[in-house]
Amino acid sequence: LLNAWTSIGEQHQCRVGKAHLKVFVTGGAGYIGSHVVVELVKHGYEVVIFDNFSNASSNVPTALSELCGVQITVTSGDLRDASALECVFSDHSIDAVMHFAGLKSVAESVADPLMYYDNNVLGSLQLCKSMRKYDVKRLVFSSSATVYGDPISVPIREDAPAVNPTNPYGMTKVICEKMVLDLCRSDPSFSAGILRYFNPVGAHPSGLIGEDPKGQPANLMPLLTNAAADPTAVLKIYGCDYPTKDGTGVRDYIHVCDLAAGHVAALNRCSTDSQHFIANLGTGNGFSVLEVIRAFEQACGIKIAYQIAPRRPGDVAICYADTSYATEFLNWRAEKTLKDMCLDSWRWQEQNSLLGSHM
Ligand code: NAD
Ligand code: UFG
């Protein structure tokens, strides 16, 4: 499949006059970070990845270099380790930071909240301290629609209440958002974009990178592709009595490549005239669980066995974005369809077993 893809590095050798800004990407070996790395290289940025590989495969750096057509610099280290961070900041002249590194399981955060506050809050704090020390003043931060908790109304705008998430993971995002905004207010030369993702799914169309969680996946799309791959598996639908179009939960699924493009747009905004901003990254469309299953069956030609199960504790009925701010301010919008998301998720599943592919 790679042959069908022009190497991005090759495309870039043709670019003339593009400034080679160097971007430090924390969590760049993970699901979203790796797709953003590809998009950054495509736009002529240099990238330095920093990751402790707690939830990433050691295959990712090779896949990225193959996909990007250039060697990607990867440093293995933990964000909470000040000396590891300082090594990178002192070795490289970093222009901007994209911060993806963090733990992201809602259920795990309920079971072990201190691990989440320690990793996500202290890790982000240490990163901001190192940025200040090395005078790096542009930051794009991964936040989540989980900060909105159970939304009062949909579509959700950025000015909706975002202080009362239903789980400790979400609270770590609220705290980090506040920390970043306070830092911006204290230093007018520091600029930051806070991006609230809705439900990222899909994979790079090459099938070389995708979501590769350690342990059992908990999200709908990887469980759906697992069910498609295993004829004995039955997908559980958590609740069919929500006040939605067909009773099942409604979400705003966004293709990870669209999400990645949104990050480059945000970085450009940080780099120019804007000091700080918060933007939803979603499509603005809500699909129910049953609609996703049907779309997958049609796109991939595979029947999914499912059963209705009780509601999953902590789930909200319906969550989708108002995307008008991102459209106007970032000049970005998601382009890929639910069919694209299903096809690319399935290609990734077929080429890489989700369970046990970590090395
Ligand atoms: P991921 O787990 O695939 O990637 C996170 C990466 O960070 C992993 O490679 C992991 O090894 C690394 N990491 C974790 N803690 C670290 C630490 N202390 N030091 C160094 N590296 C560390 O997750 P993802 O889906 O790519 O998510 C990226 C970011 O986006 C996270 O901050 C997540 O909370 C946020 N987010 C994700 C989703 C989603 O559904 N995937 C939704 C909203 C927000
Ligand atoms: N669902 C099922 N069966 C499953 C898994 C999920 O029916 O086996 C349903 C859920 O009940 C929900 C929908 O599919 O209605 C989506 O569930 P996901 O677990 O895929 O995603 P969530 O919306 O629950 O959560 C995701 C991320 C969170 C993030 C949130 C908002 O996992 O980290 O989106 O961005 F905070």
Side-chain angles (χ1 to χ4, degrees), residues 25 27-31 33-35 37-38 41 47-53 55-77 208-210 212 348 357-359:
V25 183
Y31 173 44
S34 59
H35 288 80
V37 166
V38 173
V41 173
V47 170
V48 177
I49 290 176
F50 185 86
D51 202 300
N52 67 3
F53 288 86
N55 196 35
S57 160
S58 59
N59 298 331
V60 173
T62 312
L64 281 176
S65 292
E66 198 177 334
L67 203 47
C68 296
V70 290
Q71 193 67 33
I72 303 290
T73 307
V74 181
T75 304
S76 183
L208 286 176
I209 52 171
D212 193 6
W348 166 249
S357 66
H358 271 292
M359 291 179 67

Side-chain angles (χ1 to χ4, degrees), residues 104 106 144-146 169 197-199 218-221 223 235-238 249-251 253 289 312 315-316:
K104 63 166 181 177
V106 169
S144 167
T146 195
Y169 161 68
Y197 315 152
F198 281 68
N199 287 60
N219 295 120
L220 178 63
M221 191 58 90
L223 286 165
L235 180 73
K236 285 184 179 158
I237 296 183
Y238 294 133
V250 167
R251 296 290 184 275
Y253 298 94
V289 178
R312 189 170 62 175
D315 272 357
V316 301

